[in-house]
mmCIF file of all heavy atoms in Angstrom:
data_model
loop_
_atom_site.group_PDB
_atom_site.id
_atom_site.type_symbol
_atom_site.label_atom_id
_atom_site.label_comp_id
_atom_site.label_asym_id
_atom_site.label_seq_id
_atom_site.Cartn_x
_atom_site.Cartn_y
_atom_site.Cartn_z
ATOM 1 N N PRO A 226 108.824 71.423 101.490
ATOM 2 C CA PRO A 226 109.846 70.424 101.797
ATOM 3 C C PRO A 226 110.495 70.742 103.144
ATOM 4 O O PRO A 226 111.003 71.840 103.351
ATOM 5 C CB PRO A 226 110.853 70.565 100.657
ATOM 6 C CG PRO A 226 110.101 71.249 99.561
ATOM 7 C CD PRO A 226 109.084 72.119 100.235
ATOM 8 N N ALA A 227 110.485 69.793 104.059
ATOM 9 C CA ALA A 227 111.002 70.020 105.413
ATOM 10 C C ALA A 227 112.493 70.334 105.419
ATOM 11 O O ALA A 227 112.952 71.114 106.237
ATOM 12 C CB ALA A 227 110.719 68.804 106.287
ATOM 13 N N ASP A 228 113.232 69.754 104.486
ATOM 14 C CA ASP A 228 114.671 69.978 104.473
ATOM 15 C C ASP A 228 115.088 71.239 103.722
ATOM 16 O O ASP A 228 116.245 71.643 103.785
ATOM 17 C CB ASP A 228 115.404 68.759 103.903
ATOM 18 C CG ASP A 228 114.980 68.429 102.481
ATOM 19 O OD1 ASP A 228 113.950 68.968 102.014
ATOM 20 O OD2 ASP A 228 115.666 67.620 101.832
ATOM 21 N N ASP A 229 114.151 71.885 103.009
ATOM 22 C CA ASP A 229 114.467 73.106 102.262
ATOM 23 C C ASP A 229 113.203 73.968 102.149
ATOM 24 O O ASP A 229 112.572 74.029 101.094
ATOM 25 C CB ASP A 229 115.008 72.761 100.874
ATOM 26 C CG ASP A 229 115.555 73.967 100.133
ATOM 27 O OD1 ASP A 229 115.633 75.064 100.735
ATOM 28 O OD2 ASP A 229 115.897 73.832 98.953
ATOM 29 N N PRO A 230 112.818 74.650 103.227
ATOM 30 C CA PRO A 230 111.548 75.378 103.267
ATOM 31 C C PRO A 230 111.373 76.452 102.199
ATOM 32 O O PRO A 230 110.253 76.760 101.818
ATOM 33 C CB PRO A 230 111.551 76.019 104.656
ATOM 34 C CG PRO A 230 112.501 75.222 105.452
ATOM 35 C CD PRO A 230 113.527 74.701 104.499
ATOM 36 N N SER A 231 112.447 77.004 101.693
ATOM 37 C CA SER A 231 112.312 78.074 100.707
ATOM 38 C C SER A 231 112.246 77.563 99.268
ATOM 39 O O SER A 231 112.104 78.350 98.342
ATOM 40 C CB SER A 231 113.473 79.062 100.839
ATOM 41 O OG SER A 231 114.688 78.401 100.532
ATOM 42 N N SER A 232 112.313 76.252 99.065
ATOM 43 C CA SER A 232 112.403 75.743 97.697
ATOM 44 C C SER A 232 111.069 75.632 96.971
ATOM 45 O O SER A 232 111.019 75.803 95.763
ATOM 46 C CB SER A 232 113.103 74.389 97.681
ATOM 47 O OG SER A 232 112.304 73.409 98.311
ATOM 48 N N ASN A 233 109.989 75.349 97.649
ATOM 49 C CA ASN A 233 108.717 75.142 96.966
ATOM 50 C C ASN A 233 107.574 75.207 97.970
ATOM 51 O O ASN A 233 107.786 75.154 99.174
ATOM 52 C CB ASN A 233 108.698 73.792 96.247
ATOM 53 C CG ASN A 233 107.702 73.755 95.109
ATOM 54 O OD1 ASN A 233 107.089 74.766 94.771
ATOM 55 N ND2 ASN A 233 107.523 72.610 94.502
ATOM 56 N N ALA A 234 106.358 75.326 97.452
ATOM 57 C CA ALA A 234 105.161 75.318 98.295
ATOM 58 C C ALA A 234 104.059 74.588 97.555
ATOM 59 O O ALA A 234 103.955 74.671 96.329
ATOM 60 C CB ALA A 234 104.723 76.742 98.615
ATOM 61 N N TYR A 235 103.256 73.859 98.325
ATOM 62 C CA TYR A 235 102.109 73.130 97.802
ATOM 63 C C TYR A 235 100.905 73.581 98.616
ATOM 64 O O TYR A 235 100.884 73.383 99.827
ATOM 65 C CB TYR A 235 102.296 71.622 97.982
ATOM 66 C CG TYR A 235 103.641 71.106 97.538
ATOM 67 C CD1 TYR A 235 104.706 71.048 98.429
ATOM 68 C CD2 TYR A 235 103.840 70.681 96.238
ATOM 69 C CE1 TYR A 235 105.953 70.568 98.033
ATOM 70 C CE2 TYR A 235 105.075 70.210 95.829
ATOM 71 C CZ TYR A 235 106.122 70.149 96.729
ATOM 72 O OH TYR A 235 107.352 69.683 96.331
ATOM 73 N N ALA A 236 99.931 74.186 97.976
ATOM 74 C CA ALA A 236 98.773 74.698 98.709
ATOM 75 C C ALA A 236 97.486 74.075 98.177
ATOM 76 O O ALA A 236 97.278 73.990 96.965
ATOM 77 C CB ALA A 236 98.696 76.217 98.592
ATOM 78 N N TYR A 237 96.645 73.631 99.102
ATOM 79 C CA TYR A 237 95.324 73.123 98.735
ATOM 80 C C TYR A 237 94.350 74.287 98.836
ATOM 81 O O TYR A 237 94.134 74.825 99.925
ATOM 82 C CB TYR A 237 94.893 71.977 99.639
ATOM 83 C CG TYR A 237 93.692 71.250 99.090
ATOM 84 C CD1 TYR A 237 93.840 70.142 98.275
ATOM 85 C CD2 TYR A 237 92.408 71.694 99.362
ATOM 86 C CE1 TYR A 237 92.744 69.482 97.747
ATOM 87 C CE2 TYR A 237 91.302 71.054 98.839
ATOM 88 C CZ TYR A 237 91.475 69.947 98.032
ATOM 89 O OH TYR A 237 90.382 69.315 97.500
ATOM 90 N N LEU A 238 93.789 74.687 97.695
ATOM 91 C CA LEU A 238 92.914 75.857 97.624
ATOM 92 C C LEU A 238 91.524 75.481 97.144
ATOM 93 O O LEU A 238 91.365 74.566 96.321
ATOM 94 C CB LEU A 238 93.486 76.896 96.662
ATOM 95 C CG LEU A 238 94.891 77.414 96.951
ATOM 96 C CD1 LEU A 238 95.361 78.303 95.811
ATOM 97 C CD2 LEU A 238 94.907 78.167 98.260
ATOM 98 N N ILE A 239 90.545 76.229 97.613
ATOM 99 C CA ILE A 239 89.190 76.159 97.077
ATOM 100 C C ILE A 239 88.845 77.571 96.643
ATOM 101 O O ILE A 239 88.878 78.504 97.444
ATOM 102 C CB ILE A 239 88.189 75.653 98.124
ATOM 103 C CG1 ILE A 239 88.586 74.254 98.573
ATOM 104 C CG2 ILE A 239 86.765 75.667 97.559
ATOM 105 C CD1 ILE A 239 87.802 73.754 99.756
ATOM 106 N N ILE A 240 88.535 77.728 95.348
ATOM 107 C CA ILE A 240 88.239 79.046 94.784
ATOM 108 C C ILE A 240 86.844 78.994 94.177
ATOM 109 O O ILE A 240 86.527 78.093 93.400
ATOM 110 C CB ILE A 240 89.287 79.437 93.723
ATOM 111 C CG1 ILE A 240 90.689 79.413 94.357
ATOM 112 C CG2 ILE A 240 88.967 80.796 93.123
ATOM 113 C CD1 ILE A 240 91.824 79.587 93.365
ATOM 114 N N ALA A 241 86.019 79.974 94.555
ATOM 115 C CA ALA A 241 84.630 79.982 94.086
ATOM 116 C C ALA A 241 84.229 81.382 93.637
ATOM 117 O O ALA A 241 84.707 82.380 94.186
ATOM 118 C CB ALA A 241 83.700 79.531 95.201
ATOM 119 N N ASP A 242 83.357 81.432 92.628
ATOM 120 C CA ASP A 242 82.703 82.688 92.268
ATOM 121 C C ASP A 242 81.692 82.987 93.359
ATOM 122 O O ASP A 242 81.012 82.074 93.859
ATOM 123 C CB ASP A 242 81.977 82.575 90.927
ATOM 124 C CG ASP A 242 82.874 82.810 89.733
ATOM 125 O OD1 ASP A 242 83.637 83.798 89.756
ATOM 126 O OD2 ASP A 242 82.813 82.020 88.777
ATOM 127 N N LYS A 243 81.585 84.240 93.759
ATOM 128 C CA LYS A 243 80.616 84.607 94.791
ATOM 129 C C LYS A 243 79.216 84.227 94.337
ATOM 130 O O LYS A 243 78.805 84.519 93.222
ATOM 131 C CB LYS A 243 80.682 86.105 95.076
ATOM 132 C CG LYS A 243 81.961 86.525 95.763
ATOM 133 C CD LYS A 243 81.969 88.007 96.046
ATOM 134 C CE LYS A 243 83.281 88.456 96.615
ATOM 135 N NZ LYS A 243 83.366 89.906 96.750
ATOM 136 N N GLY A 244 78.507 83.533 95.192
ATOM 137 C CA GLY A 244 77.138 83.144 94.895
ATOM 138 C C GLY A 244 76.994 81.857 94.104
ATOM 139 O O GLY A 244 75.883 81.384 93.908
ATOM 140 N N ALA A 245 78.087 81.266 93.649
ATOM 141 C CA ALA A 245 78.010 80.020 92.870
ATOM 142 C C ALA A 245 77.903 78.825 93.810
ATOM 143 O O ALA A 245 78.429 78.839 94.924
ATOM 144 C CB ALA A 245 79.232 79.873 91.987
ATOM 145 N N ALA A 246 77.216 77.792 93.355
ATOM 146 C CA ALA A 246 77.023 76.599 94.171
ATOM 147 C C ALA A 246 78.283 75.732 94.218
ATOM 148 O O ALA A 246 78.587 75.129 95.238
ATOM 149 C CB ALA A 246 75.859 75.778 93.630
ATOM 150 N N GLU A 247 79.013 75.664 93.129
ATOM 151 C CA GLU A 247 80.202 74.820 93.031
ATOM 152 C C GLU A 247 81.453 75.674 92.861
ATOM 153 O O GLU A 247 81.421 76.701 92.184
ATOM 154 C CB GLU A 247 80.083 73.875 91.829
ATOM 155 C CG GLU A 247 78.952 72.873 91.940
ATOM 156 C CD GLU A 247 79.199 71.846 93.035
ATOM 157 O OE1 GLU A 247 80.344 71.393 93.187
ATOM 158 O OE2 GLU A 247 78.232 71.516 93.742
ATOM 159 N N PRO A 248 82.585 75.260 93.447
ATOM 160 C CA PRO A 248 83.822 76.017 93.253
ATOM 161 C C PRO A 248 84.319 75.909 91.814
ATOM 162 O O PRO A 248 84.051 74.918 91.128
ATOM 163 C CB PRO A 248 84.812 75.352 94.212
ATOM 164 C CG PRO A 248 84.188 74.116 94.714
ATOM 165 C CD PRO A 248 82.746 74.140 94.356
ATOM 166 N N VAL A 249 85.036 76.935 91.371
ATOM 167 C CA VAL A 249 85.643 76.895 90.038
ATOM 168 C C VAL A 249 86.995 76.185 90.084
ATOM 169 O O VAL A 249 87.517 75.768 89.056
ATOM 170 C CB VAL A 249 85.800 78.306 89.419
ATOM 171 C CG1 VAL A 249 84.438 78.906 89.127
ATOM 172 C CG2 VAL A 249 86.619 79.221 90.304
ATOM 173 N N PHE A 250 87.559 76.054 91.290
ATOM 174 C CA PHE A 250 88.813 75.319 91.477
ATOM 175 C C PHE A 250 88.827 74.721 92.870
ATOM 176 O O PHE A 250 88.466 75.382 93.843
ATOM 177 C CB PHE A 250 90.027 76.249 91.317
ATOM 178 C CG PHE A 250 91.346 75.536 91.521
ATOM 179 C CD1 PHE A 250 91.975 74.923 90.460
ATOM 180 C CD2 PHE A 250 91.924 75.459 92.779
ATOM 181 C CE1 PHE A 250 93.178 74.247 90.644
ATOM 182 C CE2 PHE A 250 93.119 74.783 92.973
ATOM 183 C CZ PHE A 250 93.753 74.183 91.899
ATOM 184 N N SER A 251 89.275 73.490 92.969
ATOM 185 C CA SER A 251 89.449 72.828 94.253
ATOM 186 C C SER A 251 90.562 71.815 94.087
ATOM 187 O O SER A 251 90.406 70.839 93.357
ATOM 188 C CB SER A 251 88.151 72.131 94.670
ATOM 189 O OG SER A 251 88.331 71.489 95.913
ATOM 190 N N GLY A 252 91.705 72.068 94.725
ATOM 191 C CA GLY A 252 92.817 71.135 94.609
ATOM 192 C C GLY A 252 94.136 71.757 94.985
ATOM 193 O O GLY A 252 94.200 72.868 95.508
ATOM 194 N N TRP A 253 95.207 71.023 94.693
ATOM 195 C CA TRP A 253 96.557 71.460 95.010
ATOM 196 C C TRP A 253 97.104 72.351 93.915
ATOM 197 O O TRP A 253 96.967 72.049 92.739
ATOM 198 C CB TRP A 253 97.486 70.258 95.164
ATOM 199 C CG TRP A 253 97.239 69.467 96.397
ATOM 200 C CD1 TRP A 253 96.518 68.309 96.485
ATOM 201 C CD2 TRP A 253 97.687 69.766 97.713
ATOM 202 N NE1 TRP A 253 96.499 67.882 97.791
ATOM 203 C CE2 TRP A 253 97.206 68.746 98.561
ATOM 204 C CE3 TRP A 253 98.445 70.796 98.270
ATOM 205 C CZ2 TRP A 253 97.462 68.729 99.926
ATOM 206 C CZ3 TRP A 253 98.703 70.774 99.626
ATOM 207 C CH2 TRP A 253 98.218 69.752 100.440
ATOM 208 N N MET A 254 97.749 73.442 94.310
ATOM 209 C CA MET A 254 98.545 74.275 93.405
ATOM 210 C C MET A 254 99.981 74.184 93.893
ATOM 211 O O MET A 254 100.236 74.194 95.103
ATOM 212 C CB MET A 254 98.103 75.736 93.415
ATOM 213 C CG MET A 254 96.897 76.014 92.614
ATOM 214 S SD MET A 254 96.677 77.806 92.447
ATOM 215 C CE MET A 254 95.087 77.835 91.662
ATOM 216 N N ILE A 255 100.904 74.103 92.952
ATOM 217 C CA ILE A 255 102.317 73.960 93.271
ATOM 218 C C ILE A 255 103.039 75.213 92.811
ATOM 219 O O ILE A 255 102.928 75.616 91.647
ATOM 220 C CB ILE A 255 102.895 72.705 92.594
ATOM 221 C CG1 ILE A 255 102.091 71.479 93.042
ATOM 222 C CG2 ILE A 255 104.377 72.555 92.923
ATOM 223 C CD1 ILE A 255 102.404 70.215 92.283
ATOM 224 N N ALA A 256 103.771 75.846 93.720
ATOM 225 C CA ALA A 256 104.386 77.144 93.434
ATOM 226 C C ALA A 256 105.310 77.120 92.231
ATOM 227 O O ALA A 256 105.252 78.009 91.390
ATOM 228 C CB ALA A 256 105.136 77.656 94.666
ATOM 229 N N ASP A 257 106.172 76.108 92.119
ATOM 230 C CA ASP A 257 107.123 76.140 91.008
ATOM 231 C C ASP A 257 106.583 75.519 89.727
ATOM 232 O O ASP A 257 107.278 75.479 88.720
ATOM 233 C CB ASP A 257 108.471 75.535 91.411
ATOM 234 C CG ASP A 257 108.439 74.031 91.575
ATOM 235 O OD1 ASP A 257 107.364 73.434 91.511
ATOM 236 O OD2 ASP A 257 109.522 73.455 91.791
ATOM 237 N N SER A 258 105.326 75.061 89.736
ATOM 238 C CA SER A 258 104.682 74.528 88.525
ATOM 239 C C SER A 258 103.227 75.006 88.466
ATOM 240 O O SER A 258 102.298 74.201 88.516
ATOM 241 C CB SER A 258 104.731 72.999 88.527
ATOM 242 O OG SER A 258 106.042 72.528 88.577
ATOM 243 N N PRO A 259 102.995 76.313 88.355
ATOM 244 C CA PRO A 259 101.620 76.817 88.441
ATOM 245 C C PRO A 259 100.705 76.324 87.321
ATOM 246 O O PRO A 259 99.499 76.219 87.529
ATOM 247 C CB PRO A 259 101.791 78.339 88.386
ATOM 248 C CG PRO A 259 103.147 78.567 87.839
ATOM 249 C CD PRO A 259 103.976 77.363 88.166
ATOM 250 N N ALA A 260 101.241 75.984 86.166
ATOM 251 C CA ALA A 260 100.400 75.524 85.065
ATOM 252 C C ALA A 260 99.954 74.075 85.230
ATOM 253 O O ALA A 260 99.019 73.639 84.563
ATOM 254 C CB ALA A 260 101.140 75.683 83.741
ATOM 255 N N LEU A 261 100.591 73.337 86.126
ATOM 256 C CA LEU A 261 100.244 71.934 86.338
ATOM 257 C C LEU A 261 98.812 71.780 86.829
ATOM 258 O O LEU A 261 98.081 70.908 86.399
ATOM 259 C CB LEU A 261 101.218 71.295 87.327
ATOM 260 C CG LEU A 261 101.012 69.823 87.634
ATOM 261 C CD1 LEU A 261 101.210 68.991 86.375
ATOM 262 C CD2 LEU A 261 101.979 69.377 88.711
ATOM 263 N N SER A 262 98.391 72.644 87.711
ATOM 264 C CA SER A 262 97.037 72.629 88.250
ATOM 265 C C SER A 262 96.620 74.083 88.454
ATOM 266 O O SER A 262 96.819 74.656 89.514
ATOM 267 C CB SER A 262 97.010 71.861 89.575
ATOM 268 O OG SER A 262 95.719 71.849 90.108
ATOM 269 N N ALA A 263 96.059 74.668 87.428
ATOM 270 C CA ALA A 263 95.793 76.106 87.429
ATOM 271 C C ALA A 263 94.300 76.409 87.513
ATOM 272 O O ALA A 263 93.460 75.613 87.102
ATOM 273 C CB ALA A 263 96.363 76.733 86.158
ATOM 274 N N LEU A 264 94.008 77.593 88.020
ATOM 275 C CA LEU A 264 92.651 78.119 88.018
ATOM 276 C C LEU A 264 92.287 78.476 86.575
ATOM 277 O O LEU A 264 93.048 79.151 85.890
ATOM 278 C CB LEU A 264 92.577 79.373 88.896
ATOM 279 C CG LEU A 264 91.296 80.207 88.826
ATOM 280 C CD1 LEU A 264 90.101 79.414 89.338
ATOM 281 C CD2 LEU A 264 91.478 81.486 89.619
ATOM 282 N N ASP A 265 91.134 78.000 86.107
ATOM 283 C CA ASP A 265 90.660 78.326 84.767
ATOM 284 C C ASP A 265 89.460 79.259 84.905
ATOM 285 O O ASP A 265 88.326 78.821 85.008
ATOM 286 C CB ASP A 265 90.277 77.044 84.026
ATOM 287 C CG ASP A 265 89.863 77.308 82.592
ATOM 288 O OD1 ASP A 265 90.260 78.358 82.032
ATOM 289 O OD2 ASP A 265 89.138 76.466 82.014
ATOM 290 N N HIS A 266 89.750 80.547 84.962
ATOM 291 C CA HIS A 266 88.710 81.552 85.164
ATOM 292 C C HIS A 266 88.871 82.635 84.110
ATOM 293 O O HIS A 266 89.990 83.020 83.775
ATOM 294 C CB HIS A 266 88.819 82.153 86.573
ATOM 295 C CG HIS A 266 87.628 82.940 86.981
ATOM 296 N ND1 HIS A 266 87.449 84.266 86.640
ATOM 297 C CD2 HIS A 266 86.542 82.585 87.720
ATOM 298 C CE1 HIS A 266 86.304 84.692 87.142
ATOM 299 N NE2 HIS A 266 85.736 83.701 87.803
#
Side-chain angles (χ1 to χ4, degrees):
D228 59 347
D229 189 6
S231 64
S232 68
N233 203 6
Y235 312 90
Y237 193 92
L238 303 173
I239 299 171
I240 303 172
D242 276 313
K243 291 181 185 173
E247 296 292 320
V249 293
F250 179 88
S251 180
W253 289 99
M254 281 191 187
I255 303 170
D257 72 353
S258 301
L261 181 63
S262 180
L264 170 64
D265 184 23
H266 194 276

